[in-house]
Amino acid sequence: MEAYLLDFGNLLIRWLHVIAAIAWLGESIYFVMLDNGLKPPKGEACKKKGVFGEMWAVHGGGFYHNQKYASSPEDLPDDLHWSFWKAYTTWLSGFGLFTLLYLTKPSFYLVNRNSPWEWAANMTGTQANIAALAFLLLGWVIYNELCKRISPNMTRDGILSVAVAVMMVVVAYLSTHIFSGRAAFLLTGAVMATAMSANVFFWIIPGQRRMVNAMKAGNKPNPIDGLRGKQRSVHNTYFTLPVVLLMLSNHYAFTFTHSLSWVIMVLFIFAGALIRQYFVLMHGGKIRPGYPIAGVALILVAVWIGAPTAKKAVQAPAPAQTQSSVVATDGTVVEATGTVVADAAGDVTLAQVETVMNNRCVECHAAAPTSAMFAAAPLGIVLDSQQEILLQAAHIKQVVANKYMPLGNLTQMTDEERELIAAWNGQ
C-alpha cells in the first residue's frame, strides 16, 4: 500500500508540474514573441501616450491590440497581470517530485556506482542527497555571480552568454561523473530550471515591483531594472527547450547510459538553444535558417555518438562444472551464488535468460512486484514469463549491457550474467 500511495502521489505531483510548466513556458514564449514582434505605432494618439510598440493579432474569433509603453502610462491600473506563480509552482512541484523519487531513495537513484571517481562511487545515500542539493544551489550561485560580475549593466551580454555556455558544459561533465546517469541528466536540467525560477524570484519580479512603485509615485523608474529583467528573461527563453528535453530524457536510457553521456547532453543543450534562437529572431521578422540547421546537425552528432556499436555475436563459454554448481533440467548451470552462467553446451537459451530475469529482475518487473519500492512494474515492463521476455528482448540486452539495469545493481547481477545476456540472440 505504501508503494501504491507513493506512486499515486508521484502521479499527482507530476501532473501539477506539467500543467504549471506548460502555463509558465507558454506564457514566457508568448511574451518573447510579443516583445520581438512589436512594430512602431502608426497612430499619433498612441505616440503621444508614450506607446513604444504595438501588435495586432487575431485569435479565437476576436481581434487583439497589444501595446508596449516606453515610459509610464498616464493611468497605471491596480489590476496588473503579474507572471510569477506559474514559475514558482513549476519549480516547487518539480522539487517535490525530485524529493519523492530521488531523495527518498538516493542509493537507488542518485549514487553512481560506476563513477571513475572513487569518492562518488562510494557515497552513502545521505551523502548523495547532500551532494545533489549542493549541486543545485551552487549551480544557481555560480550562474548568478557570472551575470553580476561579467555584465552587471547588461553591456557585455555576449561574453556572458559564452560564460554560461561553458558553465553548462562543466555542469554536464560533473553531473555525469558524480551521479547516476538518469539523475545526472535530471540534475543538469534542474540546475537550469532553478536558475530560471530564481531569475523570476530574485530579479525579474522585484525589479518590476520597483518600476511599478516608482511610476505610481510619479517618479521615473530606474532603467537598470528593466534591462536586468530583460537579460534574465532572455536567458530563461534559451534554457527552455534544453530543460524540457533533459526532463524527458529519463525515459530513454540510450541518452544517459553512454560513456560519453555528458557530450550527448551538451549537444542537446546547445541544439535546443540554437533552435530557440531561430524562433526568437523569426518573431522579429528575421529568418535565419542557419540556426535550426546547426541545431539539427548537433542532434545528428549526438545520434552518431550514442549509436550502439555493432558487435559480433559470440557464444557464452560453458564453465567447468564444480561441486558448487548445479545443472538444472534444462541444461542451465547455476552456481551456488545464484549466478546463471551458461548451459553445458555453451549455448544461451531462452530458459537461461528467464532464470536470470527471475533471479535479478522479476522482483520489480512483474505483474505483482514483490519489491516494496514499486506498486506496479516500472514503465509497465513485465518480465515474469518467456513471452514477455521475448517482447522486451532488444531492450533487455541494451539496458543490461550498459549496466543501467538493475538500478543500482541492487539484485547483484554478475558480469557473467551480463555476458550471457549479451550472447543471447533474443530468441
Side-chain angles (χ1 to χ4, degrees):
M1 178 59 73
E2 181 181 354
Y4 170 73
L5 292 176
L6 286 174
D7 273 356
F8 213 105
N10 186 321
L11 171 63
L12 294 178
I13 297 176
R14 191 178 298 273
W15 192 17
L16 172 63
H17 181 60
V18 171
I19 292 171
I22 290 173
W24 176 29
L25 298 183
E27 189 173 66
S28 175
I29 290 172
Y30 171 76
F31 273 106
V32 170
M33 179 277 294
L34 176 62
D35 202 45
N36 289 336
L38 293 172
K39 296 181 179 179
K42 295 180 179 180
E44 290 299 322
C46 290
K47 294 179 182 179
K48 291 179 180 180
K49 289 191 301 182
V51 174
F52 169 78
E54 63 180 358
M55 173 188 283
W56 283 89
V58 59
H59 181 76
F63 296 92
Y64 298 82
H65 185 199
N66 296 299
Q67 296 178 318
K68 179 178 180 178
Y69 286 79
S71 57
S72 174
E74 294 180 1
D75 184 19
L76 189 65
D78 293 328
D79 57 345
L80 279 172
H81 173 78
W82 293 84
S83 299
F84 55 86
W85 277 115
K86 302 176 188 72
Y88 304 159
T89 304
T90 300
W91 190 89
L92 289 171
S93 57
F95 187 76
L97 275 175
F98 182 67
T99 300
L100 188 64
L101 183 59
Y102 288 83
L103 296 185
T104 57
K105 305 168 187 175
S107 297
F108 195 63
Y109 285 114
L110 286 178
V111 179
N112 183 2
R113 301 300 178 192
N114 297 315
S115 173
W117 300 341
E118 186 176 349
W119 65 269
N122 295 325
M123 280 194 297
T124 64
T126 300
Q127 291 170 336
N129 279 346
I130 294 172
L133 295 174
F135 200 78
L136 290 178
L137 177 61
L138 288 175
W140 156 248
V141 170
I142 294 172
Y143 160 76
N144 193 47
E145 287 300 315
L146 287 175
C147 294
K148 290 163 59 178
R149 295 175 184 275
I150 295 177
S151 188
N153 298 317
M154 280 56 70
T155 56
R156 297 193 295 172
D157 281 358
I159 299 174
L160 174 60
S161 297
V162 174
V164 173
V166 172
M167 170 190 156
M168 292 314 306
V169 174
V170 175
V171 168
Y173 180 82
L174 291 177
S175 68
T176 55
H177 284 68
I178 297 174
F179 304 102
S180 65
R182 184 163 70 166
F185 271 58
L186 181 68
L187 279 167
T188 301
V191 166
M192 302 171 78
T194 298
M196 292 171 68
S197 295
N199 279 339
V200 175
F201 184 80
F202 290 110
W203 295 106
I204 296 174
I205 293 301
Q208 289 176 346
R209 291 194 185 281
R210 287 192 293 268
M211 293 173 66
V212 169
N213 291 336
M215 290 178 182
K216 289 183 175 180
N219 301 322
K220 184 178 181 180
N222 187 344
I224 202 71
D225 283 327
L227 292 173
R228 183 176 291 115
K230 180 67 177 294
Q231 177 198 66
R232 300 302 178 102
S233 292
V234 168
H235 289 181
N236 282 6
T237 201
Y238 290 118
F239 283 158
T240 300
L241 297 188
V243 166
V244 171
L245 184 137
L246 291 175
M247 295 307 175
L248 294 174
S249 66
N250 65 87
H251 297 289
Y252 303 95
F254 65 85
T255 60
F256 53 79
T257 55
H258 196 277
S259 59
L260 293 176
S261 59
W262 71 274
V263 176
I264 294 174
M265 192 193 312
V266 167
L267 290 170
F268 278 135
I269 290 172
F270 289 171
L274 287 170
I275 293 170
R276 185 73 189 105
Q277 172 70 348
Y278 170 78
F279 288 101
V280 170
L281 294 175
M282 183 189 72
H283 296 320
K286 300 176 183 178
I287 305 300
R288 299 289 188 272
Y291 286 105
I293 291 173
V296 171
L298 292 182
I299 293 173
L300 291 176
V301 173
V303 171
W304 174 71
I305 292 175
T309 303
K311 296 181 180 180
K312 184 178 179 180
V314 295
Q315 195 176 53
Q321 188 176 340
T322 66
Q323 291 182 348
S324 61
S325 62
V326 177
V327 179
T329 56
D330 61 1
T332 299
V333 177
V334 183
E335 293 186 341
T337 59
T339 299
V340 177
V341 289
D343 69 4
D347 296 322
V348 179
T349 66
L350 176 58
Q352 293 169 326
V353 173
E354 182 183 24
T355 302
V356 176
M357 296 297 102
N358 288 337
N359 289 344
R360 312 300 184 189
C361 307
V362 169
E363 179 179 337
C364 302
H365 291 282
T370 58
S371 171
M373 302 179 69
F374 298 103
L379 300 179
I381 297 176
V382 176
L383 303 174
D384 53 7
S385 72
Q386 290 190 357
Q387 182 180 6
E388 296 290 348
I389 292 170
L390 287 173
L391 289 174
Q392 301 292 339
H395 187 64
I396 291 171
K397 287 172 67 67
Q398 180 188 39
V399 298
V400 169
N402 58 33
K403 296 187 177 181
Y404 174 59
M405 285 291 174
L407 282 175
N409 203 23
L410 290 183
T411 56
Q412 301 299 307
M413 181 178 285
T414 65
D415 290 338
E416 290 82 3
E417 288 170 331
R418 294 185 191 278
E419 291 173 5
L420 182 141
I421 297 296
W424 176 44
N425 63 10
Q427 298 178 356

